[in-house]
Amino acid sequence: MPIRKMTTYKKAGIIKKMCQDQRSTSKPPPPASSSSYAPSQPPPTVSLHLPPPPASTSAPMHPPLSPLHTSAPKHPSCAVQLQPSTSSTGRLSSPPPSTLVQPQPSTSSATALVDKVKSSYDVRQELLKDNRPTTAIDKKQLIISVDDIRRVLDIAACTVCSAPLTLSAKTDCLSSKLTVTCTNCDTGVVIRDETAKTSAGKNTKMLENNVKGVFEAVNNNIGITGLNRIISTLGIDTFSQGKFMRHTHYLYKRMDKHYPVRMKDVISAVFTHYESYDILPEPTTGLLDITVSYDGTWMTRGHSSHIGVGFVVEVDTGFIIDREVISNFCQVCSRREKRQLPATPEWMARHASSCNRNYTGTSASMGTEAARRLWSRSTQLGLRYTTYVGDGDSSTYQAVQQLNPYDVPVRKEECVNHVSKRLGTRLRKLKKEMMTTITTKTGKEMRRSLLSGPSQLTENTINKMTSYFGKAVRGEKDKPYTSTEDMRKSILASYHHAVSTDDRPQHNYCPPGINSWFFFRRGEADKTKFCRKHSTKPGYFSKIPSEHRGAILKVYTDLTNEELLKRCMKGRTQNANESLHSKLWMKVAKHKFAGISRVNFISQVVILEHNFGFEAAYFPQHLGFKTTACKSANLQFLQKESIRSSTPKQTVRHQRKKSGNSSDYISGGF
């Protein structure tokens, strides 16, 4: 018998089985209990008796939540008792819910760690539970050729006179009209799609399947080319350019009527949420002060984009409150300018209603202009954006301050994610500025940085120290900062730790005690344990000449000024805005042209999907069309995927079981 070479995977399987056998023979058998069964017996089976499916009219508008979310509290900050203080005007001036300290999850088990996490999606769904429309489930549809239907009718007969039947088919892209009549009597059946209606309830010439198909083509960024490619493969007539544009304009107009109605429910939910924490509107004006995050995004990369979008997001619930789409380009106006045709007042009056240009400034100033418009109309929604979470762009905040939309000042808080990146930017800039001229061995002169070279300010060192700086700015979840001085000490601890040596240790800012993260401070607290030296693992800045460290220390000093740290104390971010940007440009590709009408429509769809969920925000059902069961299941799947991708993974690290003497595993013991 020939001997075959054993593969690595087979060796690993045999070794694993031998280890399992040895482990099973070395361990005593488990005690008998009522819930255990012998390994030789088959596992017990459980028979499930599922109830019948609910009626189609009572189908929920949101995907069923997993058990991980059902046991969550009403709000992450509900465990904190508010103590509002009454101002001179009688208004409750307690802090917004997002400023409260959140209870920390237990680390006893992975299940307990996840059970107490409640996402902003759950908060939004709880607030909007009374504003979900009922889903009308439509019949399942099939794609079948007309010739196959005729072959079926050849063997069928009229139920009245038993005469043969005839078929008359009229197709209109994805929609069709089938008429089955008897050849002898007047008996017949007409099968056709529903007709789309205007906002006033009048019938149009557009049919249900065509409207649904065009909506999916626009919403999924495939356009008329992608839609025609799919339906032509199935043997269905394609859309003409004119018919496709008529359907898109119909969708745009209906969305402009539908969007404000749904956003009223969102504003009402925000008021309800703040009232649950005894934060009421101002008695004289009826305006509610909220904390929002704002960020602008551009359609194309670079500084030549013709379209920009700004979103305002409430930081506590994650509701998108408002948005503004800015465009400085119009195809009709541009074509007229190229032909050198005069823009007469009569032509401008006719073109004003359809012009796509609503801004004449540069693309770089679109974010600032969008902020001005959003803050100016916030009082129409009954809100005041008195606290604004932004990035390092100071032009937007200055524009809002100059606008002065309220009788109270607008405060700015920094996004800690953007602040954490500033150290890397400043160090790279410093490395380029500290240049000198050197002469090579061949006599050639060249420019070189004083901080370049091995063990100097390398890219790896910059990335590491930036990471430590970001962790210090965010702080620990179970030990939040109580003052800016604590944050400053935590940031400076990373610098002084990086420049420490055996001859000159600088660990005054490092936390003391036996549980400190630093070996030197643990060794000071417990003299019985071995403390390794700095030379075994030098600090990242320890080999940089002392005359150059002063410039690095100045960078740290600038980034720990009092005003900046005050704006970072609450640890807020613009993650919701960044997520919205990715959702928006996933539906409107940056490498393809799109006008302001399409970007405006997609931004409305994205906002409704974010606030209400995919199934509750499905636009065709609000046009009067029914939703099929398979489409409802697909929307629920999309919602689950959205929740899964946005929820951080809560994992518990399993440490390897130690064997032998535990003293070998102390810090510096190996």
Side-chain angles (χ1 to χ4, degrees):
M1 182 177 180
I3 299 176
R4 296 183 179 179
K5 187 176 181 180
M6 187 180 298
T7 62
T8 305
Y9 295 101
K10 193 170 183 180
K11 289 179 182 179
I14 294 175
I15 294 173
K16 183 178 180 181
K17 188 175 184 305
M18 292 173 62
C19 294
Q20 291 175 352
D21 296 341
Q22 183 179 1
R23 195 178 299 115
S24 61
T25 56
S26 61
K27 291 183 178 181
S33 62
S34 58
S35 61
S36 63
Y37 55 90
S40 59
Q41 297 177 357
T45 58
V46 180
S47 59
L48 299 177
H49 300 280
L50 299 177
S56 60
T57 57
S58 62
M61 285 307 302
H62 63 284
L65 298 179
S66 63
L68 298 179
H69 299 277
T70 55
S71 61
K74 182 179 180 182
H75 191 266
S77 54
C78 282
V80 180
Q81 183 68 27
L82 286 176
Q83 296 179 355
S85 59
T86 308
S87 59
S88 58
T89 58
R91 183 187 176 210
L92 294 176
S93 58
S94 53
S98 58
T99 63
L100 304 177
V101 180
Q102 299 181 0
Q104 298 305 316
S106 174
T107 57
S108 58
S109 63
T111 305
L113 185 65
V114 181
D115 284 347
K116 294 188 178 181
V117 176
K118 189 172 184 180
S119 63
S120 60
Y121 170 77
D122 299 328
V123 177
R124 294 193 296 270
Q125 293 303 305
E126 185 177 347
L127 292 170
L128 295 172
K129 59 184 178 182
D130 298 330
N131 298 317
R132 299 191 188 106
T134 56
T135 304
I137 303 300
D138 197 3
K139 58 185 179 298
K140 189 174 182 179
Q141 300 189 16
L142 300 175
I143 297 178
I144 186 171
S145 65
V146 178
D147 295 336
D148 293 338
I149 299 177
R150 286 197 174 98
R151 285 200 298 269
V152 174
L153 295 179
D154 288 342
I155 61 175
C158 179
T159 57
V160 178
C161 61
S162 301
L165 302 175
T166 59
L167 173 67
S168 174
K170 182 180 179 182
T171 60
D172 183 9
C173 298
L174 291 171
S175 299
S176 59
K177 178 182 178 181
L178 302 179
T179 304
V180 180
T181 57
C182 178
T183 57
N184 185 29
C185 60
D186 295 335
T187 304
V189 177
V190 178
I191 305 173
R192 61 177 301 171
D193 291 342
E194 295 184 12
T195 304
K197 293 179 173 56
T198 62
S199 56
K202 297 181 180 180
N203 290 332
T204 64
K205 295 182 180 180
M206 303 174 194
L207 301 177
E208 175 184 359
N209 286 344
N210 289 341
V211 174
K212 289 182 177 180
V214 172
F215 170 76
E216 295 296 338
V218 175
N219 191 37
N220 292 281
N221 197 33
I222 61 175
I224 182 175
T225 304
L227 179 61
N228 285 340
R229 185 178 299 174
I230 295 173
I231 64 177
S232 62
T233 305
L234 302 176
I236 302 175
D237 295 338
T238 58
F239 284 84
S240 64
Q241 186 71 28
K243 178 179 290 187
F244 186 86
M245 294 303 297
R246 286 193 296 271
H247 282 75
T248 56
H249 291 318
Y250 167 76
L251 292 172
Y252 297 165
K253 292 180 180 179
R254 288 300 305 269
M255 177 59 82
D256 290 338
K257 299 288 185 180
H258 170 71
Y259 176 78
V261 177
R262 299 305 303 274
M263 290 304 294
K264 289 181 180 179
D265 298 335
V266 174
I267 303 300
S268 177
V270 172
F271 274 83
T272 302
H273 179 70
Y274 276 76
E275 288 174 1
S276 64
Y277 293 92
D278 295 333
I279 302 176
L280 305 177
E282 190 174 6
T284 56
T285 61
L287 301 176
L288 179 65
D289 296 347
I290 64 174
T291 302
V292 300
S293 64
Y294 170 80
D295 194 17
T297 179
W298 285 258
M299 182 176 177
T300 57
R301 300 173 181 89
H303 301 281
S304 59
S305 178
H306 291 299
I307 294 179
V309 187
F311 290 101
V312 171
V313 182
E314 203 278 322
V315 298
D316 193 51
T317 59
F319 277 123
I320 307 176
I321 304 299
D322 202 358
R323 60 86 180 89
E324 180 66 25
V325 182
I326 302 291
S327 174
N328 61 1
F329 178 77
C330 177
Q331 280 187 321
V332 178
C333 296
S334 177
R335 192 180 302 115
R336 192 174 182 87
E337 292 174 0
K338 289 181 179 180
R339 295 177 181 176
Q340 298 181 354
L341 298 176
T344 60
E346 295 79 8
W347 180 85
M348 291 295 296
R350 294 194 305 269
H351 177 65
S353 59
S354 59
C355 184
N356 290 335
R357 180 187 298 169
N358 59 5
Y359 180 59
T360 57
T362 62
S363 59
S365 60
M366 286 182 179
T368 303
E369 177 63 22
R372 290 196 190 96
R373 298 182 183 184
L374 292 170
W375 258 261
S376 298
R377 66 168 180 248
S378 62
T379 55
Q380 301 176 9
L381 306 176
L383 302 172
R384 293 194 306 186
Y385 311 146
T386 55
T387 304
Y388 149 58
V389 181
D391 51 16
D393 185 11
S394 60
S395 60
T396 302
Y397 181 55
Q398 292 176 0
V400 173
Q401 282 186 317
Q402 294 174 0
L403 180 65
N404 193 19
Y406 319 125
D407 55 353
V408 294
V410 178
R411 297 185 298 105
K412 182 184 179 182
E413 294 182 2
E414 295 289 342
C415 171
V416 294
N417 290 339
H418 286 82
V419 172
S420 63
K421 299 177 183 178
R422 295 186 183 182
L423 179 65
T425 304
R426 292 285 299 273
L427 291 180
R428 292 182 181 92
K429 182 180 179 181
L430 177 64
K431 187 176 179 180
K432 292 181 179 180
E433 291 176 350
M434 297 182 63
M435 303 292 289
T436 184
T437 303
I438 63 172
T439 304
T440 62
K441 294 181 180 180
T442 58
K444 182 179 179 181
E445 293 185 354
M446 61 179 297
R447 300 282 292 173
R448 180 180 177 182
S449 175
L450 294 173
L451 298 175
S452 61
S455 301
Q456 299 295 307
L457 198 61
T458 61
E459 189 65 25
N460 179 55
T461 299
I462 294 176
N463 293 335
K464 285 288 186 180
M465 298 308 296
T466 302
S467 176
Y468 298 149
F469 177 79
K471 291 179 181 179
V473 171
R474 297 182 185 94
E476 300 181 12
K477 293 183 179 180
D478 55 344
K479 296 180 181 179
Y481 294 121
T482 58
S483 64
T484 56
E485 183 63 21
D486 294 340
M487 184 185 295
R488 188 183 72 86
K489 289 181 179 179
S490 180
I491 294 173
L492 293 179
S494 61
Y495 168 78
H496 290 284
H497 178 82
V499 300
S500 297
T501 60
D502 292 330
D503 298 333
R504 190 182 178 186
Q506 303 181 33
H507 304 296
N508 296 331
Y509 293 106
C510 297
I514 192 65
N515 296 323
S516 175
W517 51 264
F518 183 42
F519 69 90
F520 190 85
R521 302 292 267 178
R522 289 197 303 268
E524 289 180 340
D526 190 356
K527 301 295 184 180
T528 60
K529 292 187 177 181
F530 174 76
C531 182
R532 68 176 177 86
K533 297 182 178 181
H534 293 82
S535 56
T536 58
K537 188 178 180 181
Y540 289 104
F541 295 157
S542 60
K543 294 187 178 182
I544 296 178
S546 57
E547 60 270 15
H548 298 158
R549 294 179 192 169
I552 299 177
L553 180 59
K554 186 179 183 304
V555 173
Y556 276 85
T557 305
D558 294 342
L559 295 178
T560 54
N561 66 81
E562 186 72 14
E563 293 299 325
L564 177 62
L565 298 185
K566 280 183 180 179
R567 297 195 295 266
C568 299
M569 281 295 293
K570 296 178 182 178
R572 289 168 173 164
T573 65
Q574 289 182 316
N575 290 344
N577 297 79
E578 301 295 343
S579 175
L580 288 173
H581 299 168
S582 64
K583 292 178 181 178
L584 174 64
W585 304 126
M586 191 181 299
K587 296 175 180 289
V588 185
K590 287 179 172 286
H591 63 278
K592 296 181 181 179
F593 174 80
I596 187 176
S597 300
R598 181 162 175 247
V599 176
N600 184 63
F601 174 76
I602 294 299
S603 66
Q604 293 170 330
V605 172
V606 169
I607 290 174
L608 295 180
E609 290 177 349
H610 177 86
N611 288 341
F612 293 91
F614 281 83
E615 191 171 6
Y618 184 55
F619 186 49
Q621 72 178 354
H622 297 284
L623 299 177
F625 302 136
K626 296 180 180 180
T627 305
T628 60
C630 54
K631 182 59 181 179
S632 179
N634 175 254
L635 294 173
Q636 293 179 12
F637 171 77
L638 292 176
Q639 188 61 58
K640 290 180 180 179
E641 286 295 303
S642 177
I643 296 174
R644 182 189 62 81
S645 60
S646 61
T647 303
K649 295 182 180 180
Q650 302 289 343
T651 58
V652 178
R653 296 183 61 183
H654 298 280
Q655 297 182 356
R656 181 178 297 179
K657 187 176 180 181
K658 300 177 182 179
S659 60
N661 188 4
S662 60
S663 62
D664 296 337
Y665 290 88
I666 63 175
S667 177
F670 55 89

